[in-house]
mmCIF file of all heavy atoms in Angstrom:
data_model
loop_
_atom_site.group_PDB
_atom_site.id
_atom_site.type_symbol
_atom_site.label_atom_id
_atom_site.label_comp_id
_atom_site.label_asym_id
_atom_site.label_seq_id
_atom_site.Cartn_x
_atom_site.Cartn_y
_atom_site.Cartn_z
ATOM 1 N N TYR A 1 -169.144 63.157 -20.836
ATOM 2 C CA TYR A 1 -169.134 62.177 -21.918
ATOM 3 C C TYR A 1 -167.777 61.476 -21.969
ATOM 4 O O TYR A 1 -167.219 61.242 -23.033
ATOM 5 C CB TYR A 1 -169.473 62.848 -23.248
ATOM 6 C CG TYR A 1 -170.896 63.356 -23.308
ATOM 7 C CD1 TYR A 1 -171.166 64.667 -23.654
ATOM 8 C CD2 TYR A 1 -171.955 62.511 -22.998
ATOM 9 C CE1 TYR A 1 -172.474 65.135 -23.700
ATOM 10 C CE2 TYR A 1 -173.267 62.969 -23.038
ATOM 11 C CZ TYR A 1 -173.518 64.279 -23.390
ATOM 12 O OH TYR A 1 -174.813 64.738 -23.430
ATOM 13 N N GLU A 2 -167.274 61.182 -20.809
ATOM 14 C CA GLU A 2 -166.021 60.438 -20.693
ATOM 15 C C GLU A 2 -166.277 58.966 -21.004
ATOM 16 O O GLU A 2 -167.293 58.396 -20.612
ATOM 17 C CB GLU A 2 -165.478 60.581 -19.272
ATOM 18 C CG GLU A 2 -164.144 59.903 -19.056
ATOM 19 C CD GLU A 2 -163.665 60.067 -17.614
ATOM 20 O OE1 GLU A 2 -164.534 60.055 -16.708
ATOM 21 O OE2 GLU A 2 -162.455 60.224 -17.408
ATOM 22 N N VAL A 3 -165.332 58.362 -21.725
ATOM 23 C CA VAL A 3 -165.411 56.925 -22.029
ATOM 24 C C VAL A 3 -164.283 56.237 -21.269
ATOM 25 O O VAL A 3 -163.118 56.259 -21.701
ATOM 26 C CB VAL A 3 -165.277 56.659 -23.547
ATOM 27 C CG1 VAL A 3 -165.447 55.166 -23.831
ATOM 28 C CG2 VAL A 3 -166.301 57.466 -24.335
ATOM 29 N N PRO A 4 -164.589 55.654 -20.125
ATOM 30 C CA PRO A 4 -163.538 55.057 -19.284
ATOM 31 C C PRO A 4 -162.733 53.991 -20.012
ATOM 32 O O PRO A 4 -163.272 53.185 -20.775
ATOM 33 C CB PRO A 4 -164.337 54.444 -18.125
ATOM 34 C CG PRO A 4 -165.604 55.243 -18.078
ATOM 35 C CD PRO A 4 -165.916 55.558 -19.506
ATOM 36 N N GLY A 5 -161.428 54.017 -19.768
ATOM 37 C CA GLY A 5 -160.552 52.985 -20.303
ATOM 38 C C GLY A 5 -160.144 53.167 -21.747
ATOM 39 O O GLY A 5 -159.417 52.319 -22.292
ATOM 40 N N GLN A 6 -160.589 54.253 -22.386
ATOM 41 C CA GLN A 6 -160.248 54.463 -23.783
ATOM 42 C C GLN A 6 -159.276 55.630 -23.932
ATOM 43 O O GLN A 6 -158.552 55.953 -23.004
ATOM 44 C CB GLN A 6 -161.519 54.624 -24.606
ATOM 45 C CG GLN A 6 -162.406 53.389 -24.626
ATOM 46 C CD GLN A 6 -161.674 52.146 -25.122
ATOM 47 O OE1 GLN A 6 -161.161 52.126 -26.232
ATOM 48 N NE2 GLN A 6 -161.616 51.110 -24.282
ATOM 49 N N TRP A 7 -159.261 56.318 -25.069
ATOM 50 C CA TRP A 7 -158.139 57.173 -25.431
ATOM 51 C C TRP A 7 -158.462 58.658 -25.498
ATOM 52 O O TRP A 7 -157.728 59.415 -26.138
ATOM 53 C CB TRP A 7 -157.566 56.697 -26.764
ATOM 54 C CG TRP A 7 -156.868 55.386 -26.652
ATOM 55 C CD1 TRP A 7 -157.447 54.150 -26.636
ATOM 56 C CD2 TRP A 7 -155.468 55.174 -26.504
ATOM 57 N NE1 TRP A 7 -156.496 53.171 -26.494
ATOM 58 C CE2 TRP A 7 -155.270 53.770 -26.420
ATOM 59 C CE3 TRP A 7 -154.359 56.021 -26.446
ATOM 60 C CZ2 TRP A 7 -154.000 53.203 -26.264
ATOM 61 C CZ3 TRP A 7 -153.096 55.465 -26.308
ATOM 62 C CH2 TRP A 7 -152.924 54.068 -26.220
ATOM 63 N N GLN A 8 -159.510 59.113 -24.856
ATOM 64 C CA GLN A 8 -159.811 60.543 -24.877
ATOM 65 C C GLN A 8 -158.639 61.339 -24.295
ATOM 66 O O GLN A 8 -158.143 61.036 -23.223
ATOM 67 C CB GLN A 8 -161.092 60.835 -24.095
ATOM 68 C CG GLN A 8 -162.348 60.396 -24.835
ATOM 69 C CD GLN A 8 -163.573 60.438 -23.954
ATOM 70 O OE1 GLN A 8 -163.491 60.188 -22.755
ATOM 71 N NE2 GLN A 8 -164.723 60.732 -24.539
ATOM 72 N N GLY A 9 -158.205 62.361 -25.030
ATOM 73 C CA GLY A 9 -157.127 63.200 -24.556
ATOM 74 C C GLY A 9 -155.729 62.678 -24.822
ATOM 75 O O GLY A 9 -154.740 63.331 -24.490
ATOM 76 N N ARG A 10 -155.620 61.504 -25.425
ATOM 77 C CA ARG A 10 -154.320 60.950 -25.758
ATOM 78 C C ARG A 10 -154.481 60.091 -27.007
ATOM 79 O O ARG A 10 -155.614 59.738 -27.381
ATOM 80 C CB ARG A 10 -153.744 60.124 -24.602
ATOM 81 C CG ARG A 10 -154.639 58.998 -24.146
ATOM 82 C CD ARG A 10 -154.282 58.469 -22.771
ATOM 83 N NE ARG A 10 -155.141 57.326 -22.413
ATOM 84 C CZ ARG A 10 -154.780 56.064 -22.540
ATOM 85 N NH1 ARG A 10 -153.558 55.765 -23.000
ATOM 86 N NH2 ARG A 10 -155.597 55.088 -22.204
ATOM 87 N N THR A 11 -153.401 59.782 -27.667
ATOM 88 C CA THR A 11 -153.488 59.037 -28.919
ATOM 89 C C THR A 11 -152.368 58.011 -29.031
ATOM 90 O O THR A 11 -151.362 58.082 -28.329
ATOM 91 C CB THR A 11 -153.391 59.978 -30.138
ATOM 92 O OG1 THR A 11 -152.139 60.680 -30.092
ATOM 93 C CG2 THR A 11 -154.538 60.961 -30.164
ATOM 94 N N ARG A 12 -152.569 57.091 -29.944
ATOM 95 C CA ARG A 12 -151.545 56.122 -30.339
ATOM 96 C C ARG A 12 -151.637 55.982 -31.849
ATOM 97 O O ARG A 12 -152.678 55.613 -32.374
ATOM 98 C CB ARG A 12 -151.798 54.769 -29.665
ATOM 99 C CG ARG A 12 -150.768 53.686 -30.009
ATOM 100 C CD ARG A 12 -151.183 52.350 -29.419
ATOM 101 N NE ARG A 12 -152.441 51.898 -29.997
ATOM 102 C CZ ARG A 12 -153.260 51.005 -29.415
ATOM 103 N NH1 ARG A 12 -152.965 50.507 -28.224
ATOM 104 N NH2 ARG A 12 -154.376 50.646 -30.015
ATOM 105 N N ASP A 13 -150.556 56.321 -32.547
ATOM 106 C CA ASP A 13 -150.553 56.271 -34.014
ATOM 107 C C ASP A 13 -151.677 57.160 -34.579
ATOM 108 O O ASP A 13 -152.554 56.710 -35.311
ATOM 109 C CB ASP A 13 -150.732 54.819 -34.484
ATOM 110 C CG ASP A 13 -150.507 54.654 -35.980
ATOM 111 O OD1 ASP A 13 -149.802 55.494 -36.563
ATOM 112 O OD2 ASP A 13 -151.063 53.703 -36.563
ATOM 113 N N LEU A 14 -151.631 58.447 -34.255
ATOM 114 C CA LEU A 14 -152.668 59.401 -34.642
ATOM 115 C C LEU A 14 -152.857 59.433 -36.156
ATOM 116 O O LEU A 14 -151.903 59.599 -36.908
ATOM 117 C CB LEU A 14 -152.299 60.800 -34.139
ATOM 118 C CG LEU A 14 -153.280 61.930 -34.454
ATOM 119 C CD1 LEU A 14 -154.632 61.678 -33.780
ATOM 120 C CD2 LEU A 14 -152.700 63.269 -34.012
ATOM 121 N N ARG A 15 -154.114 59.312 -36.597
ATOM 122 C CA ARG A 15 -154.435 59.339 -38.017
ATOM 123 C C ARG A 15 -155.505 60.372 -38.375
ATOM 124 O O ARG A 15 -155.526 60.889 -39.495
ATOM 125 C CB ARG A 15 -154.908 57.948 -38.479
ATOM 126 C CG ARG A 15 -153.794 56.926 -38.576
ATOM 127 C CD ARG A 15 -152.857 57.257 -39.726
ATOM 128 N NE ARG A 15 -151.777 56.275 -39.892
ATOM 129 C CZ ARG A 15 -150.581 56.383 -39.362
ATOM 130 N NH1 ARG A 15 -150.297 57.438 -38.592
ATOM 131 N NH2 ARG A 15 -149.653 55.481 -39.569
ATOM 132 N N VAL A 16 -156.405 60.672 -37.440
ATOM 133 C CA VAL A 16 -157.540 61.548 -37.732
ATOM 134 C C VAL A 16 -157.585 62.695 -36.723
ATOM 135 O O VAL A 16 -157.504 62.473 -35.519
ATOM 136 C CB VAL A 16 -158.880 60.778 -37.668
ATOM 137 C CG1 VAL A 16 -160.053 61.710 -37.996
ATOM 138 C CG2 VAL A 16 -158.869 59.588 -38.623
ATOM 139 N N VAL A 17 -157.728 63.925 -37.230
ATOM 140 C CA VAL A 17 -157.915 65.101 -36.383
ATOM 141 C C VAL A 17 -159.142 65.837 -36.898
ATOM 142 O O VAL A 17 -159.393 65.889 -38.107
ATOM 143 C CB VAL A 17 -156.681 66.033 -36.417
ATOM 144 C CG1 VAL A 17 -156.964 67.331 -35.670
ATOM 145 C CG2 VAL A 17 -155.470 65.328 -35.815
ATOM 146 N N GLY A 18 -159.939 66.420 -35.990
ATOM 147 C CA GLY A 18 -161.109 67.162 -36.440
ATOM 148 C C GLY A 18 -161.743 67.962 -35.327
ATOM 149 O O GLY A 18 -161.253 68.029 -34.205
ATOM 150 N N ASP A 19 -162.893 68.575 -35.686
ATOM 151 C CA ASP A 19 -163.621 69.436 -34.751
ATOM 152 C C ASP A 19 -165.118 69.262 -34.992
ATOM 153 O O ASP A 19 -165.571 69.170 -36.138
ATOM 154 C CB ASP A 19 -163.216 70.897 -34.963
ATOM 155 C CG ASP A 19 -163.865 71.835 -33.958
ATOM 156 O OD1 ASP A 19 -163.853 71.518 -32.751
ATOM 157 O OD2 ASP A 19 -164.391 72.882 -34.376
ATOM 158 N N SER A 20 -165.901 69.237 -33.905
ATOM 159 C CA SER A 20 -167.338 68.978 -34.011
ATOM 160 C C SER A 20 -168.187 70.225 -33.801
ATOM 161 O O SER A 20 -169.169 70.212 -33.062
ATOM 162 C CB SER A 20 -167.763 67.887 -33.014
ATOM 163 O OG SER A 20 -167.477 68.273 -31.681
ATOM 164 N N ASN A 21 -167.810 71.318 -34.458
ATOM 165 C CA ASN A 21 -168.584 72.560 -34.368
ATOM 166 C C ASN A 21 -169.534 72.647 -35.559
ATOM 167 O O ASN A 21 -169.345 73.445 -36.484
ATOM 168 C CB ASN A 21 -167.636 73.762 -34.350
ATOM 169 C CG ASN A 21 -168.354 75.065 -34.100
ATOM 170 O OD1 ASN A 21 -169.326 75.109 -33.354
ATOM 171 N ND2 ASN A 21 -167.896 76.136 -34.726
ATOM 172 N N ALA A 22 -170.573 71.809 -35.570
ATOM 173 C CA ALA A 22 -171.385 71.593 -36.771
ATOM 174 C C ALA A 22 -172.100 72.847 -37.262
ATOM 175 O O ALA A 22 -171.968 73.249 -38.427
ATOM 176 C CB ALA A 22 -172.392 70.481 -36.510
ATOM 177 N N GLY A 23 -172.897 73.477 -36.389
ATOM 178 C CA GLY A 23 -173.651 74.649 -36.808
ATOM 179 C C GLY A 23 -172.747 75.791 -37.234
ATOM 180 O O GLY A 23 -173.002 76.477 -38.237
ATOM 181 N N GLY A 24 -171.670 76.001 -36.490
ATOM 182 C CA GLY A 24 -170.725 77.054 -36.831
ATOM 183 C C GLY A 24 -170.044 76.804 -38.166
ATOM 184 O O GLY A 24 -169.799 77.738 -38.945
#
């Protein structure tokens, strides 16, 4: 689920942090 050319794994002016462990 890589999105080429975007910011996965790196940030600029970080504002939001989270986790997608919905059921847990």
Side-chain angles (χ1 to χ4, degrees):
Y1 293 127
E2 183 181 36
V3 183
Q6 296 304 302
W7 290 81
Q8 286 169 326
R10 57 198 183 98
T11 59
R12 180 186 63 202
D13 190 24
L14 180 63
R15 287 291 182 266
V16 181
V17 173
D19 184 47
S20 60
N21 187 35

